[in-house]
DNA sequence: CTTGCTTCTACAGTCGCTGTAGACTGTAGG
DNA sequence: CCTACAGTCTACAGCGACTGTAGAAGCAAG
């Protein structure tokens, strides 16, 4: 079995070296074999697994979800209801986030389009921010950083 | 001048007590006056400022942006080009994020709609995740947590 | 006086990495 | 062989914007 170093795995799966080590530390990737000198050694199955993880991350799945997906994958024979549930739930949170950002977008557009480049005292953007009544719907979660 | 405690300020501006203290620690809010026993005391101007911050956060502005907006607001007489720029730049990052999430949504929809609830071996979702060719556009930033 | 809420400080945890420091290993060229 | 230089190692701090915790002290009402 051909073994590769972490750098080659990194290129093969398009995941940074530091990230691979991080995945090992949080036990998302198993502990790697080591060479005599202590360097990590991987094989094709590591590339497979890491690629799976990367695809799932690209789709926005949380690390815990991915852990569960991997768990489910090894239990062959089980049906994929659980997988479906994870995916659907993720999809719904993506949609919720899109709606949330959509209303931000509308609000920001309104503010920006009203701005005439006048002095700060009459600036519509500042007015909007200072105006208590100009706020979005009363109770919603704070926006996550971009 | 009527002074209020942190709890009342919290209710007045709809910002949690811990968050107010956090804002003080990062110098987004100035240092509060203290009572003899050491409790923070605020007045109407604190409510004003905290409400401003809250509105800006609700609109997704980063703390650093807000710091700058406050700075600009005090320099009365300056025009609002800088304010406009901050808002426009924020709007464009909101739009970018929406586009990003939109393509995630499409991809997830495709995956979920293909799932027939069969066993894990034939599950389309797992297939998609394992399929190297099923990935989104080659180079894009990793998705932020929801 | 007691009960129970509010406030205080200081620090750890969230999420998914990224960056840094300082040391060691492996490889290619001369 | 020696010297570069790239790759790898560990351990830990930092990001952003908070949130949660522990343990102590203050405050208001009954």
């Amino acid at each position: 079995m051909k073994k590769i170093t972490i750098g080659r795995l990194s290129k093969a799966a398009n995941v940074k070296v530091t990230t691979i080590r991080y995945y090992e530390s949080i036990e998302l990737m198993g502990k790697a074999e080591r060479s005599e000198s202590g360097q990590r050694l991987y094989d094709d199955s590591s590339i497979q697994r890491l690629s799976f993880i990367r695809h799932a991350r690209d789709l926005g799945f949380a690390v815990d979800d991915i852990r569960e997906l991997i768990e489910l994958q090894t239990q062959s024979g089980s049906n994929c209801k659980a997988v479906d549930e994870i995916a659907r739930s993720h999809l719904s949170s993506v949609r919720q986030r899109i709606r949330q950002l959509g209303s931000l977008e509308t609000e920001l557009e309104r503010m920006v389009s009203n701005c005439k480049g006048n002095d700060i005292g009459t600036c519509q953007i500042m007015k909007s921010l200072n105006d208590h009544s100009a706020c979005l719907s009363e109770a919603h979660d704070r926006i996550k950083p971009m």
Side-chain angles (χ1 to χ4, degrees), chain A:
Chain A
M1 188 101 75
K2 215 179 119 199
K3 301 290 179 184
I4 58 174
T5 63
I6 198 169
R8 297 199 194 282
L9 174 61
S10 169
K11 266 163 204 151
N14 194 13
V15 175
K16 289 186 185 166
V17 168
T18 42
T19 306
I20 298 172
R21 286 197 280 250
Y22 168 70
Y23 285 161
E24 184 179 315
S25 80
I26 60 169
E27 293 175 324
L28 189 53
M29 287 290 283
K31 282 187 184 166
E33 263 183 82
R34 298 295 183 121
S35 72
E36 280 184 35
S37 62
Q39 298 195 350
R40 288 170 181 82
L41 293 177
Y42 301 92
D43 56 27
D44 283 354
S45 70
S46 317
I47 301 180
Q48 279 280 41
R49 175 144 179 178
L50 188 53
S51 299
F52 177 92
I53 294 170
R54 194 239 200 280
H55 292 156
R57 285 292 301 127
D58 278 352
L59 287 165
F61 286 98
V63 164
D64 277 352
D65 287 346
I66 299 175
R67 224 186 286 274
E68 207 169 333
L69 288 173
I70 290 172
E71 181 73 12
L72 289 165
Q73 202 174 26
T74 62
Q75 297 164 13
S76 63
S78 68
N79 72 24
C80 68
K81 263 184 195 159
V83 172
D84 190 50
E85 174 119 0
I86 292 170
R88 275 177 203 281
S89 145
H90 178 49
L91 174 55
S92 104
S93 67
V94 168
R95 282 176 174 154
Q96 198 192 324
R97 189 92 170 91
I98 290 174
R99 277 197 303 276
Q100 208 181 61
L101 290 175
S103 63
L104 281 198
E105 187 189 15
T106 308
E107 191 68 16
L108 287 167
E109 269 165 0
R110 206 177 53 71
M111 280 169 56
V112 166
S113 71
N114 280 339
C115 179
K116 299 289 180 292
N118 300 323
D119 76 46
I120 209 95
T122 60
C123 176
Q124 286 303 317
I125 296 175
M126 288 314 229
K127 275 220 178 76
S128 304
L129 287 169
N130 277 308
D131 185 0
H132 192 70
S133 67
C135 66
L136 298 172
S137 60
E138 266 312 305
H140 72 85
D141 288 342
R142 293 296 186 280
I143 252 45
K144 312 292 191 311
M146 295 286 130

